[in-house]
Amino acid sequence: MHDILEKSGFNPDANYKVVGTSPIKHDGYDKVTGRAKFSADAFAPGMLVGKVLRSPHPHAIVKSIDTSKAEKLPGVKAVITREDFPEKKAGTGAGDMTRIAMAREKVYWEGHPVAAVAATSERIAKKALKLIEVDYEVLPFVIDEVEAMQPGAPILHDYLRTKGATGADADKPTNIVERSVLKQGDIEKGFAEADVVIERSFDSKPMHQGYIELQSCIANTSDDGQVDLWCCTQAPWVYRDRLTAIMDIDSSKIKIQQSELGGGFGGKTTFYIEPLAVALSRKAKAAVKMTMTRAEVLKGTGPVSGTHAKIKIGAKKDGTIVAAQSELSFQTGPYTGSAFVNAQQAIWTRYDIANVETLCYEVVSNRPKVASFRAPCVPQIIFGAEAVITELAQAIGMDELDFRLKNAVAKGHTTIYGQKFDEIGLIETIEAAKNCDHYKSPVPEGQGRGIACGFWFNRGGETTGTMSLAPDGTVNIILGTADVAGSRMSMAMMAAEEFGIPVDRVRATLADTNALGFNRVTAGSRTTFSSGMVVVNNARQIIGELCSRAAKMWKVPEEGVIFEDGFCRPASSNVGDFEPMSMKEISSKTTYTMGAISAHSEMNVTGAGPGFAVHIVDTEVDKETGFVAVKRYTIVEDAGKMISPIQVEGQLQGAAVQAIGWALNEEYIYGADGRLQNAGFLDYRMPVASDVPMIDTVIVEVPNPKHPYGLRGVGEVPLTPGPAAIGNAIANAIGVRPTSLPMSPPKLLALMKSAKA
Amino acid sequence: MSKKYHVSLTVNGDEYECLAEPQMTLLDVLRDELKLTGTKEGCATGDCGACSVMVDGRLTCSCLVLAPEAEGRSVETIEGMAKDGELHPLQQKFLEMNGLQCGICTPGILVAAKALLDRKPDADEMEIRYWLAGNLCRCTGYDKIIRAVMAAGEEMKGA
């Protein structure tokens, strides 16, 4: 255990020079000039182009694949199919991973890869795909998870049995991966105490993470089996270890270098084309570049889980919530991994409710395997949860924020999943919402205002990094965690603060997987927190070393030297009369002391501080068309202590607009043939600049004392209450409750029509 | 072997020549032939604006222009925006005001915003929002982009 995890040294009264300012981020310059190198911006000598053949069917047995004609096409250097990947048992982690990358016995969704080609040009590769003959036995399919749960639904995997099922069904083939109950108290007794009970059903459709950077990679496999992989990823080490798991390649022979990441939001936490590129490169004995098209990204990579939710909640007249019961189902695509437990745990985390029961089903169906998206599974469930919270407050006749405040959790509360909250800022956040200009302003005529409160755990986990001092006294940081939006700069700022030097004297770069030990994925809002812990720990080690070197050079005891603002100084005049020695003076003389000064830390970081947010939204609904205009949007959130306020604001604002897209428009639309009908940005329409207003932020700072700079993760919290707040705003604007995401014009028109009837 | 077309064009004032397959786009030429990768591909269908460039002074999605159509044209890309080592006011404001997060949409947005401000430096928020409606950004929520464009316009007006 590192000392820093026990004792962070956080000082609430410190006056920081760098932390809390908003300098220009170092990676910004290359991004405004076009020099930044994203995944598709690289080229290798002798590079081939790889393309994927994807299934046109949502569910079919792959009886045979004939690649002989494609192989004979001049310019084709390799064709791969399931035969090129070692067998891994179906239903295991590696078994699922290899089958997602390349279909084996069956195809499970429209877009499932069945073969791939490497050729001397993209044109030839595409032509070769057309020459591959796949013999499919087409099977009945099921898209929606509620339908997939019904008796008689097409079964995806004969081997699948429901985890947690009991009774007669426990040993029957099923599409239900897991049945899971999380409960506390006595739910019947709770509802018996309630004066008001609200019960409603909600649903949501899958939407996509929507990163603008298409997945692209270059794999280069040498004749002795060394794999070099360049790709955009939130998880270089996870990609490496998964390549090892499905391709039986020693991890030591795989070097993954992450590119600049052009958006991920959770969607680049797992690989898709990368194992195919490695297999093609191995077979072709050449570098292979693969880049997905937008249609491939939408059809072949992770959307979020679509859901259904039945929620029942009861409160006393005085505003105490006494019971909350829900039944939730989650689409996961053809394989497990929806992370539904996040929603099961987070559905009520804002409130102290004595009696809770949350039943969850994770269900396979013929859709692309879901992937993480900011607070996986949580926003679409909070959509329903915060709707019934608002309705309860209205039924009781309490101010919505007062109602939430009355039930709010505080320090010392133990959650249903066993976490005891330390310093948290929920109450401060709700109070700041009550006091903000938006909440205090009257709702404009013809509009509706919505409020919702969200939560995310924030994570820590395995993190490594190094730091070194150059002879000129500048500092280099090597990070293992991917930088999804500016974390390199936050790291440089924390280091600069530790050393008391300008942030321009510090640079952070992203490591390849050979340079450092294992790093968990950049996800869970863990990076600035966890890598920040490593950076501060390394800086403190280096400061200790600087003092030790100065002591040696001055020939005084180590405790006689202190470090301040980039200089070693005698601790007092008793130590001796020495001129302060700069980092440069010490590091330029390391030849005469003990060699270069550097530090490394490897930690399983603990102590992440949970985050809470309140969103306030004003909407106007066109009664003729059902179109919703978001007129005003304010996010109130506890960020702990901010490292770079301008970057924190950016996280919040971006999440708000993603929430607007999810709430109002974005969804996967399937035809009766089980094929995705809107696999392009024209029909899968994300918010554009003219769709949204400025996003106001009110940032509360309740520091997390477990971190040396008091920070909390801010990547995910700000998405969690978004769709719910917009739903509540629409309900108040039109006087009827929308219960289905997205709240698109046709749905709202139908809703208004049915309310009139 | 499919026939290739000889294409000569000017990019950021420099003359280039290349051989392009008939299905190749101006975007492919810029990125794969000239290795000017600042211009990005986000959709290849003209819906995201990541590939925005100026063609003979007109804002264009380079993914929608076939390479042979670029013959004899003058193209301006993000690589030509900073002049004589000086960042354009838009680039400077994007940096100062955090108008970018991941940065993948940034070149396209800068090119598009410059096309507006060159004509109308005093464009207001709504004009900027509608002008940039062809450029998707998934990270920022547009707020800081719009503010940075307004601030750059203010500076260009004064210049």
Side-chain angles (χ1 to χ4, degrees):
Chain A
M1 186 71 136
H2 284 269
D3 291 346
I4 200 169
L5 299 178
E6 293 285 291
K7 213 175 157 201
S8 72
F10 173 71
N11 173 9
D13 302 320
N15 286 317
Y16 299 128
K17 294 194 181 75
V18 183
V19 165
T21 66
S22 296
I24 292 172
K25 59 181 185 184
H26 297 153
D27 54 299
Y29 291 90
D30 279 355
K31 288 176 176 173
V32 299
T33 53
R35 280 199 291 270
K37 220 166 139 187
F38 293 87
S39 57
D41 299 339
F43 304 88
M47 187 179 87
L48 303 172
V49 177
K51 296 299 290 181
V52 183
L53 182 68
R54 293 173 183 274
S55 167
H57 307 294
H59 197 192
I61 296 170
V62 183
K63 292 169 75 178
S64 64
I65 306 172
D66 183 353
T67 60
S68 55
K69 286 180 192 155
E71 281 161 23
K72 283 182 200 127
L73 185 71
V76 170
K77 300 295 178 186
V79 182
I80 55 162
T81 66
R82 56 194 177 186
E83 303 299 331
D84 295 276
F85 292 87
E87 167 62 20
K88 300 286 166 185
K89 190 171 184 285
T92 63
D96 290 356
M97 274 185 258
T98 194
R99 284 167 178 80
I100 292 167
M102 182 69 92
R104 293 188 80 80
E105 303 82 7
K106 294 208 277 184
V107 287
Y108 287 105
W109 76 93
E110 184 225 358
H112 199 161
V114 288
V117 170
T120 50
S121 77
E122 184 175 345
R123 188 181 57 81
I124 295 170
K126 280 180 173 169
K127 200 171 168 186
L129 293 183
K130 290 187 181 150
L131 298 174
I132 298 173
E133 289 165 7
V134 185
D135 186 12
Y136 293 104
E137 181 183 331
V138 175
L139 299 171
F141 62 88
V142 59
I143 300 289
D144 181 78
E145 95 279 9
V146 171
E147 285 171 28
M149 292 166 77
Q150 303 308 314
I155 293 290
L156 272 71
H157 310 293
D158 290 334
Y159 59 80
L160 192 65
R161 301 291 180 274
T162 304
K163 185 179 165 191
T166 52
D169 290 342
D171 199 36
K172 285 190 186 147
T174 175
N175 291 322
I176 303 171
V177 179
E178 187 171 356
R179 179 188 187 279
S180 164
V181 185
L182 184 66
K183 59 182 177 179
Q184 68 182 15
D186 181 335
I187 199 76
E188 300 301 327
K189 188 169 143 277
F191 279 113
E193 290 169 15
D195 297 312
V196 183
V197 173
I198 306 276
E199 195 170 355
R200 277 201 186 274
S201 293
F202 301 88
D203 67 84
S204 72
K205 291 282 189 291
M207 49 86 78
H208 196 271
Q209 291 80 355
Y211 39 81
I212 306 299
E213 181 195 30
L214 304 161
Q215 267 101 338
S216 181
C217 66
I218 298 177
N220 202 353
T221 307
S222 75
D223 282 12
D224 73 340
Q226 168 69 38
V227 176
D228 275 12
L229 178 64
W230 157 269
C231 61
C232 55
T233 172
Q234 295 173 242
W237 281 264
V238 174
Y239 280 28
R240 180 196 67 182
D241 296 347
R242 289 182 174 183
L243 283 176
T244 295
I246 71 166
M247 299 183 78
D248 298 335
I249 304 170
D250 288 350
S251 293
S252 63
K253 288 186 184 156
I254 304 170
K255 186 176 88 174
I256 300 181
Q257 176 63 57
Q258 51 190 312
S259 68
E260 286 293 340
L261 187 82
F265 316 111
K268 290 172 181 168
T269 53
T270 189
F271 57 42
Y272 297 96
I273 48 173
E274 292 80 3
L276 309 186
V278 170
L280 283 170
S281 165
R282 189 164 60 179
K283 206 163 182 174
K285 298 195 181 299
V288 175
K289 181 173 183 174
M290 298 183 84
T291 305
M292 291 179 116
T293 65
R294 181 56 56 183
E296 284 184 293
V297 167
L298 287 165
K299 285 183 181 181
T301 72
V304 310
S305 291
T307 57
H308 284 78
K310 282 183 220 163
I311 302 177
K312 183 180 171 187
I313 190 164
K316 290 186 190 171
K317 274 188 201 135
D318 70 353
T320 311
I321 307 173
V322 287
Q325 186 176 28
S326 19
E327 186 179 319
L328 316 173
S329 58
F330 299 83
Q331 293 164 2
T332 183
Y335 295 100
T336 184
S338 63
F340 73 86
V341 173
N342 291 332
Q344 189 177 38
Q345 294 181 345
I347 180 169
W348 305 117
T349 26
R350 285 88 62 220
Y351 311 114
D352 189 356
I353 308 176
N355 307 291
V356 176
E357 189 176 299
T358 309
L359 168 63
C360 293
Y361 294 99
E362 186 191 58
V363 186
V364 293
S365 65
N366 297 109
R367 297 172 165 279
K369 162 77 171 61
V370 300
S372 297
F373 178 49
R374 298 176 99 161
C377 289
V378 173
Q380 61 270 56
I381 293 304
I382 285 190
F383 170 66
E386 286 292 306
V388 296
I389 291 285
T390 285
E391 287 190 277
L392 263 186
Q394 288 169 343
I396 289 167
M398 267 179 91
D399 172 89
E400 274 196 60
L401 285 176
D402 285 338
F403 180 71
R404 286 174 169 90
L405 207 48
K406 183 174 174 63
N407 293 284
V409 292
K411 182 179 177 177
H413 170 81
T414 300
T415 66
I416 193 168
Y417 50 94
Q419 182 184 4
K420 190 172 176 189
F421 284 146
D422 193 345
E423 298 291 342
I424 55 169
L426 175 59
I427 287 168
E428 291 83 347
T429 301
I430 299 175
E431 278 171 349
K434 279 185 74 173
N435 290 323
C436 81
D437 179 63
H438 189 169
Y439 192 68
K440 288 196 288 195
S441 310
V443 182
E445 186 65 29
Q447 296 182 18
R449 177 166 297 164
I451 309 279
C453 182
F455 159 88
W456 179 250
F457 309 87
N458 292 328
R459 309 288 191 191
E462 289 167 275
T463 313
T464 66
T466 66
M467 185 181 284
S468 57
L469 203 56
D472 68 350
T474 59
V475 178
N476 276 306
I477 297 170
I478 306 284
L479 290 170
T481 46
D483 181 348
V484 298
S487 57
R488 269 168 294 185
M489 190 60 189
S490 303
M491 303 307 158
M493 290 171 70
M494 283 185 262
E497 188 71 56
E498 288 290 318
F499 289 114
I501 58 176
V503 70
D504 199 41
R505 305 273 289 166
V506 185
R507 291 282 148 159
T509 51
L510 303 173
D512 65 56
T513 51
N514 278 359
L516 296 174
F518 179 83
N519 274 272
R520 261 196 66 192
V521 53
T522 282
S525 300
R526 75 176 211 90
T527 290
T528 307
F529 174 76
S530 304
S531 263
M533 202 77 99
V534 163
V535 163
V536 172
N537 200 51
N538 285 341
R540 290 179 183 174
Q541 284 182 47
I542 285 181
I543 288 169
E545 187 60 25
L546 284 166
C547 291
S548 161
R549 302 283 173 104
K552 282 194 183 77
M553 290 156 85
W554 287 332
K555 299 187 173 61
V556 302
E558 269 184 43
E559 54 274 20
V561 182
I562 57 163
F563 186 87
E564 248 176 22
D565 294 336
F567 288 85
C568 284
R569 301 169 196 275
S572 69
S573 53
N574 297 338
V575 176
D577 185 18
F578 301 108
E579 279 296 304
M581 201 159 11
S582 70
M583 291 165 70
K584 179 181 173 178
E585 283 174 86
I586 299 169
S587 57
S588 63
K589 295 189 176 75
T590 52
T591 311
Y592 311 108
T593 52
M594 295 281 287
I597 298 175
S598 64
H600 62 98
S601 298
E602 295 74 26
M603 294 185 199
N604 202 349
V605 179
T606 55
F612 297 87
V614 171
H615 288 202
I616 308 168
V617 186
D618 293 352
T619 62
E620 191 172 77
V621 182
D622 186 324
K623 305 285 193 308
E624 303 279 307
T625 63
F627 175 80
V628 177
V630 176
K631 308 299 281 187
R632 189 173 180 186
Y633 203 120
T634 303
I635 297 191
V636 187
E637 178 167 326
D638 172 22
K641 181 90 186 114
M642 288 185 280
I643 305 300
S644 169
I646 204 166
Q647 289 198 53
V648 173
E649 284 172 17
Q651 286 293 308
L652 273 48
Q653 291 166 333
V657 171
Q658 291 179 345
I660 290 171
W662 198 346
L664 301 180
N665 205 30
E666 292 177 43
E667 66 176 306
Y668 270 40
I669 299 169
Y670 280 89
D673 58 1
R675 291 174 185 161
L676 187 63
Q677 293 186 325
N678 58 337
F681 273 156
L682 187 62
D683 299 314
Y684 184 90
R685 194 178 174 286
M686 308 198 304
V688 299
S690 55
D691 291 333
V692 296
M694 293 295 188
I695 308 295
D696 297 326
T697 58
V698 176
I699 298 169
V700 179
E701 290 188 293
V702 177
N704 167 18
K706 298 280 177 62
H707 190 277
Y709 290 104
L711 72 89
R712 295 173 196 278
V714 293
E716 284 158 301
V717 184
L719 186 58
T720 57
I726 296 164
N728 285 336
I730 292 170
N732 289 330
I734 64 177
V736 49
R737 160 71 49 192
T739 57
S740 179
L741 280 179
M743 297 171 282
S744 52
K747 280 193 201 162
L748 290 186
L749 264 189
L751 188 67
M752 288 188 283
K753 207 172 152 192
S754 69
K756 247 192 221 164
Chain B
M1 207 62 189
S2 77
K3 185 174 181 269
K4 286 190 176 182
Y5 290 83
H6 180 264
V7 181
S8 51
L9 71 171
T10 305
V11 182
N12 304 323
D14 295 324
E15 288 174 9
Y16 290 93
E17 287 179 74
C18 69
L19 292 173
E21 292 181 350
Q23 83 287 352
M24 279 175 68
T25 63
L26 172 58
L27 176 62
D28 296 331
V29 167
L30 291 172
R31 291 182 54 81
D32 295 333
E33 300 299 318
L34 311 185
K35 304 288 188 276
L36 292 170
T37 55
T39 307
K40 307 300 179 189
E41 177 178 327
C43 67
T45 52
D47 297 310
C48 79
C51 67
S52 299
V53 299
M54 301 299 284
V55 179
D56 287 344
R58 191 170 162 192
L59 182 62
T60 305
C61 283
S62 59
C63 74
L64 297 182
V65 178
L66 285 169
E69 293 180 288
E71 172 65 32
R73 307 278 184 174
S74 171
V75 178
E76 290 165 67
T77 70
I78 185 66
E79 285 91 348
M81 192 176 280
K83 295 272 186 259
D84 306 324
E86 286 279 313
L87 292 179
H88 187 275
L90 271 163
Q91 293 171 309
Q92 190 60 38
K93 290 297 169 196
F94 267 59
L95 286 173
E96 289 168 8
M97 299 172 74
N98 204 26
L100 66 150
Q101 284 182 30
C102 82
I104 191 87
C105 71
T106 309
I109 288 188
L110 287 170
V111 168
K114 181 171 179 291
L116 173 65
L117 295 187
D118 280 345
R119 282 196 301 115
K120 200 169 183 197
D122 59 350
D124 65 16
E125 182 192 337
M126 265 309 125
E127 285 172 290
I128 297 167
R129 285 189 180 278
Y130 277 91
W131 182 266
L132 291 180
N135 292 80
L136 286 174
C137 168
R138 192 59 155 176
C139 292
T140 64
Y142 302 106
D143 184 299
K144 294 192 190 307
I145 290 176
I146 305 300
R147 291 182 198 276
V149 175
M150 289 196 290
E154 199 59 36
E155 198 168 303
M156 287 163 72
K157 210 166 47 177

